[in-house]
Amino acid sequence: PKGQSSTSNANAQGGDQLQSKVMWLELGLCKSLIRAVSQLGYFTPAPIQAAAIPVVLKGYDVCARAVTGSGKTAAFVLPI
């Protein structure tokens, strides 16, 4: 829900573990979007994506920090 917050602590080490265990389908995105992302060569979500996408899909606001090129933009745009 808008205005509410949810805290997800995905540090670099935890994020790497999360990435190896999570597939796009598990994040709750629609199948056509998953197919399109896979066709572009992205077969598993980056740690920031695995942490943020489910939270965004639940309607929560997300504030995240990660290095350039880590997949932040996709983490916030794919659930829209």
Side-chain angles (χ1 to χ4, degrees), residues 8 10 47-49 51-52 56 61-67 70 72 75-76:
S8 176
I48 189 71
Q49 296 162 345
V56 172
D61 295 332
V62 173
C63 180
R65 178 176 60 172
V67 299
S70 63
K72 292 183 301 295
F76 298 115

Side-chain angles (χ1 to χ4, degrees), residues 33-66:
L33 185 56
I34 294 168
R35 189 176 316 110
V37 170
S38 296
Q39 287 175 349
L40 291 172
Y42 298 98
F43 301 108
T44 58
I48 189 71
Q49 296 162 345
I53 289 173
V55 177
V56 172
L57 288 173
K58 289 178 183 173
Y60 290 99
D61 295 332
V62 173
C63 180
R65 178 176 60 172

Side-chain angles (χ1 to χ4, degrees), residues 4 6 15 17 23 27 29 33-34 51 54 58-59 71 73 78:
Q4 294 183 2
S6 175
Q17 292 171 356
M23 300 300 291
L27 299 181
L29 296 170
L33 185 56
I34 294 168
K58 289 178 183 173
T73 302
L78 289 174

Side-chain angles (χ1 to χ4, degrees), residues 3-21:
Q4 294 183 2
S5 65
S6 175
T7 303
S8 176
N9 187 7
N11 61 30
Q13 183 181 11
D16 290 342
Q17 292 171 356
L18 187 63
Q19 182 182 18
S20 66
K21 295 179 182 179

